[in-house]
Every structure is written in structure tokens, then in C-alpha cells.
């Protein structure tokens, strides 16, 4: 009969022994990890407060400064953020100013369209007069603005003119 060899089924692995030199390294890594977590939490909290400050400042901006275009920059007067704002606060501020600008332009175009419609209502060529006057008004609004603001005024104005004539 053949002899069956037995194989070792259990083995004791190496026992982890912490040396004094490794202990400091382990503690240092734990401290570094904790500091990174705290820094991350503080950054998130700071970013949240910066965004809130930007939103609050933009909401409190005067409407006249939002709809008036600075001839030098071609942007709304209120588009430049207050001194001391960082990147997050500036982004939030400009996002709200841009939104308020767009809303104000839409309201202004609707009011002017209503005014012109009433003015030319009794005329025999009411549509032609309305279209000419509204086109001139849209062009005059867009003349001072540049970039995205001029494009927005032209796009919204043209769309509204096409919808109302």
C-alpha cells in the first residue's frame, strides 16, 4: 500500500511587533489624517459662509445698479463684487446679479412692449410701427452692453418681439 504524506494545514503567521520607530510614524499618520479631516470640514463651512455672503450682497444690490450698464465695462454696474470677496463669494454674487439682470431686462422689455402696443393701437400700420419702435428700443438697450449681456438683451428682445408682433 502507498504511503500518504501529510501536509501542514495550519500555519502561524508572523506576529506584528511594533518597534519604537514605527510607533511615532503610526501616530504621525493618525494626526495627519485627523488634521486633513478637520481642514476639509472647515473648508466646507467657510465655503458655505462665503456663498451665503455673496448671495446676500447680490440680493441687497440696488435694482438701478443692476439694470444700468457701465459704458467702460459693458456689464451691469453691480456686476463687480464688493471688496474682499474671494472666489466662492464672487461666483455666488455674480450668479445672482446675472439672474436679477436677466429678470429685470425681461420685465423692462414687457413694459416697453405694452407701452408701445397702447401707443400704436389706433394706427392703421400698428404692427409695422410697433416692430420698428421695439427693434430700435432693443438695439439701444444692447448698444451699451457687451459680451453675454448684449447677447442676452438681443436674444430675449428678438424672441419677445417675434412673439408679440
Amino acid at each position: 500500500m502507498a504511503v500518504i504524506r501529510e501536509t501542514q494545514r495550519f500555519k502561524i503567521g508572523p506576529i506584528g511587533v511594533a518597534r519604537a520607530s514605527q510607533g511615532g510614524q503610526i501616530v504621525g499618520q493618525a494626526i495627519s489624517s485627523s488634521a486633513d479631516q478637520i481642514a476639509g470640514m472647515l473648508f466646507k463651512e467657510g465655503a458655505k459662509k462665503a456663498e451665503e455672503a455673496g448671495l446676500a450682497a447680490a440680493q441687497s444690490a440696488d435694482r438701478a445698479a443692476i439694470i444700468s450698464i457701465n459704458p467702460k465695462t459693458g456689464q451691469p454696474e453691480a456686476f463687480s463684487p464688493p471688496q474682499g470677496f474671494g472666489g466662492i463669494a464672487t461666483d455666488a454674487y455674480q450668479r445672482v446679479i446675472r439672474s436679477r439682470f436677466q429678470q429685470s431686462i425681461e420685465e423692462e422689455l414687457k413694459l416697453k412692449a405694452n407701452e408701445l402696443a397702447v401707443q400704436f393701437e389706433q394706427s392703421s400700420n400698428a404692427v409695422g410701427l410697433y416692430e420698428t419702435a421695439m427693434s430700435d428700443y432693443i438695439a439701444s438697450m444692447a448698444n451699451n452692453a457687451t459680451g453675454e449681456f448684449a447677447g442676452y438683451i438681443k436674444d430675449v428682445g428678438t424672441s419677445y418681439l417675434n412673439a408679440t408682433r
Side-chain angles (χ1 to χ4, degrees), residues 56-70:
Q59 288 296 337
S60 65
D62 186 31
R63 185 176 190 274
I66 291 172
I67 61 172
S68 62
I69 301 291
N70 183 336

Side-chain angles (χ1 to χ4, degrees), residues 15-121:
I15 298 172
V17 177
R19 295 189 181 110
S21 63
Q22 290 177 331
Q25 186 179 17
I26 293 170
V27 170
Q29 288 174 346
I31 290 171
S32 175
S33 175
S34 296
D36 286 345
Q37 287 178 340
I38 291 171
M41 290 186 320
L42 291 175
F43 177 79
K44 287 179 184 177
E45 186 64 28
K48 181 180 173 186
K49 288 186 184 217
E51 185 169 9
E52 289 172 359
L55 295 174
Q59 288 296 337
S60 65
D62 186 31
R63 185 176 190 274
I66 291 172
I67 61 172
S68 62
I69 301 291
N70 183 336
K72 293 178 183 175
T73 63
Q75 300 173 339
E77 292 283 346
F79 196 66
S80 296
Q83 275 310 98
F85 271 19
I88 294 171
T90 297
D91 288 345
Y93 177 85
Q94 289 179 338
R95 185 175 62 241
V96 172
I97 293 295
R98 187 177 290 114
S99 173
R100 287 185 64 194
F101 172 81
Q102 292 171 348
Q103 183 181 12
S104 296
I105 292 299
E106 289 173 14
E107 289 173 6
E108 190 172 335
L109 286 170
K110 287 177 184 178
L111 288 174
K112 187 64 173 182
N114 287 339
E115 176 186 318
L116 292 174
V118 169
Q119 181 180 348
F120 299 123
E121 185 175 43

